Amino acid sequence: MSEETSTSSSGITVKDVQELVKKKELIETQIKAYHDVLDDQKNVGMGGPLVDIEGYPRADIDLYQVRTARHNIICLQNDHKDIMKQIEEALHQLHAQERERRAKGEVEAAADRMETEQSIEQPFAKVDTVTPGSPASISGVQVGDEIIEFGSVNSQNFQNLQNIAVVVQHSEGKPLSITVLRSGQKVHLGITPQRWSGRGLLGCNIVPLQR
């Protein structure tokens, strides 16, 4: 086979495979044409005798044409075997590349998700005082807790303490989920903002974290 039919080990494209298939089809067309030549020579085919019963060269066929056609068919069949092997290897490589692209895409997507989750889970505010007997105290909120989530507020949408104040006002008398970072561990708490003997609905003071 000529070098132009060989496949590159660095990478295969669908176009490369299509070119190989075209070459395969051309070889098959040439093989058929030479078989037609043999059919025209008394259907001598690839194995018919080239001598008569007395051992002399047959006079009813063109021996040169038959021998040439047979030789070319054998060469083309070898070429066909080579091109089929190249197509198989190219398809295998193409599928491997596709699997690699998909795997890479999944890894990148997972990394993006992890990065997003990590950024969302960054604390944005801190509890600096908790009044004993307050809703915050009863719910287990402690001084030093760094707030990761406060209801619907997280580091991605937190702008100022007014965001938390709005959530508290709209959640009066309703359970509110908060997540804090305490001694390096995430802690999930439930707090119900409500009127009590002290100031506000929570009984704790929250300050923004300076980043």
Side-chain angles (χ1 to χ4, degrees):
M1 290 295 291
S2 62
E3 291 182 0
E4 64 179 356
T5 59
S6 63
T7 59
S8 170
S9 59
S10 60
I12 286 292
T13 65
V14 173
K15 186 177 180 182
D16 293 332
V17 176
Q18 290 172 339
E19 288 298 320
L20 288 171
V21 171
K22 285 181 182 178
K23 290 173 181 177
K24 174 188 79 78
E25 292 172 348
L26 176 59
I27 291 172
E28 291 170 347
T29 300
Q30 292 173 330
I31 290 175
K32 183 181 182 305
Y34 284 119
H35 274 296
D36 289 342
V37 169
L38 296 179
D39 291 342
D40 290 340
Q41 295 295 320
K42 307 292 185 182
N43 290 319
V44 69
M46 293 294 291
L50 301 185
V51 296
D52 57 23
I53 56 175
E54 296 178 353
Y56 293 102
R58 288 178 58 175
D60 60 334
I61 58 175
D62 186 329
L63 293 176
Y64 175 78
Q65 200 172 44
V66 170
R67 288 194 179 99
T68 300
R70 286 179 173 179
H71 172 76
N72 288 339
I73 287 173
I74 292 171
C75 291
L76 287 167
Q77 284 174 336
N78 289 332
D79 289 347
H80 189 268
K81 187 183 297 183
D82 289 341
I83 201 79
M84 288 300 292
K85 183 178 179 181
Q86 290 179 40
I87 291 173
E88 182 181 353
E89 291 174 351
L91 286 172
H92 178 76
Q93 190 172 339
L94 196 64
H95 292 156
Q97 290 171 185
E98 181 61 25
R99 286 195 299 272
E100 185 178 344
R101 277 194 293 268
R102 288 181 181 176
K104 185 178 180 182
E106 289 173 1
V107 169
E108 290 176 349
D112 289 342
R113 284 195 301 271
M114 186 177 297
E115 185 177 345
T116 301
E117 290 169 0
Q118 288 174 345
S119 64
I120 289 176
E121 292 182 355
Q122 289 295 318
F124 58 88
K126 184 176 182 179
V127 178
D128 68 349
T129 60
V130 178
T131 304
S134 66
S137 175
I138 294 171
S139 299
V141 176
Q142 297 180 10
V143 173
D145 283 349
E146 295 185 347
I147 299 172
I148 296 174
E149 288 182 332
F150 195 101
S152 58
V153 181
N154 57 48
S155 64
Q156 297 295 293
N157 56 27
F158 175 76
Q159 296 174 325
N160 52 53
L161 292 177
Q162 184 62 28
N163 300 135
I164 294 178
V166 169
V167 171
V168 170
Q169 289 166 9
H170 282 83
S171 301
E172 184 175 353
K174 303 173 186 176
L176 188 64
S177 174
I178 66 174
T179 303
V180 301
L181 194 63
R182 181 182 297 166
S183 301
Q185 299 293 322
K186 281 200 300 183
V187 178
H188 300 284
L189 302 170
I191 185 170
T192 302
Q194 58 190 349
R195 304 289 175 181
W196 63 293
S197 59
R199 292 179 54 194
L201 299 176
L202 296 179
C204 66
N205 191 53
I206 297 172
V207 294
L209 278 177
Q210 299 301 322
R211 294 296 182 188

